[in-house]
Amino acid sequence: MLEEVERWLGTRSWSVTDRPLHGILAAKRASGQSVSVVLPALNEEETVGDIVAAIRHDLVQQVPLVDEVVVVDSGSTDRTSQVAAAAGARVVHRDTILPRIPAVPGKGEVLWRSLLVTTGDIVCFIDADLREFSSDFVSGIVGPLLTDPDIDLVKAMYDRPLGTESTALASRRTAGQGGRVTELMARPLLNLHWPQLAGFVQPLGGEYAARRSLLERLPFPVGYGVELGMLVDALHLVGLDALAQVDVGVRKHRHQDGQALGRMAAAIYRTAQLRLARGHLVRPSLTQFERGANGFEPRTYSVDTEERPPMAEIAEYAARKVA
């Protein structure tokens, strides 16, 4: 590990307990900054309501840390929107945001568009499939941004148990096994090509917060590559010391099957490759195999390589800032 990264781990890696909530709130009042929480959601009716309710109860009603909770629905066919609204979120449908640019499927697309429908100086992204959610996820990663003006982006770090085993032995055995794409794809890529980022425990985690002033200058890969792309681009824009991470405990969520993880890994690799050598043409697709009636049958998927430009370059966003 680089000496710079070892130093960074000692100065930019914290626990959620390092910043008590009353101190974070005092810093927010002193700075006058506002906080938006965004949940990108697609068919998450089972979990989105509990997450929204916890944030509103703990960080809006009891302690006024969060100024708005926005769920951006990217085309759910279940009751995600209704459940989120009933829990107290403002629900916005992806396709109603910036309609002159047709929306494409993908998490990064939703995060990018969310900048147009939120107002916070600090934007906090939380995945909508988390179970046993704690509002520490929000206060933990927002805290450094409110208390330290030199920090621009904070990622959550946590254990990611694989499966639902509940015994102590099983918990120890599976604690670090949930981030399979992280360990098999993202971490090797970062260590080999961007070793300054090797200290991030959960580089692909969906829970992170950043200053709007940074987010509006970043391009957003529209799909699974958004977290890696954002981390790499932020490193180049603001430098390692402006990035941080906070330990928030344990993250439990729905796990995807192996083939879905394969598609995710391909998209992440493609995102990395674009940043390593823009202009090099490769085949942006992935063929996988499923057993059918006549043996193994190929299934080819497009790797989501499209990216949205920095929001600061979008006329509607600039016009909103002037207004």
Side-chain angles (χ1 to χ4, degrees), residues 22-37:
H22 66 83
I24 298 172
L25 185 60
K28 180 179 189 289
R29 288 170 174 158
S31 67
Q33 296 179 92
S34 55
V35 177
S36 299
V37 175

Side-chain angles (χ1 to χ4, degrees), residues 85-99:
R90 176 162 61 93
V91 178
V92 184
H93 291 270
R94 177 199 62 196
D95 296 351
T96 66
I97 307 170
L98 199 61

Side-chain angles (χ1 to χ4, degrees), residues 10 33 79 107 111 150 175 198-199 257 268 287 306 319:
Q33 296 179 92
R79 298 182 63 254
K107 179 184 178 182
L111 301 184
D150 294 328
D257 63 37
I268 290 165
T287 299
E306 187 173 353

Side-chain angles (χ1 to χ4, degrees), residues 69-113:
V69 182
V70 179
V71 170
V72 182
D73 190 325
S74 58
S76 297
T77 56
D78 64 2
R79 298 182 63 254
T80 291
S81 290
Q82 297 92 315
V83 170
R90 176 162 61 93
V91 178
V92 184
H93 291 270
R94 177 199 62 196
D95 296 351
T96 66
I97 307 170
L98 199 61
R100 74 172 176 85
I101 299 178
V104 297
K107 179 184 178 182
E109 178 83 353
V110 174
L111 301 184
W112 181 71
R113 289 175 187 263

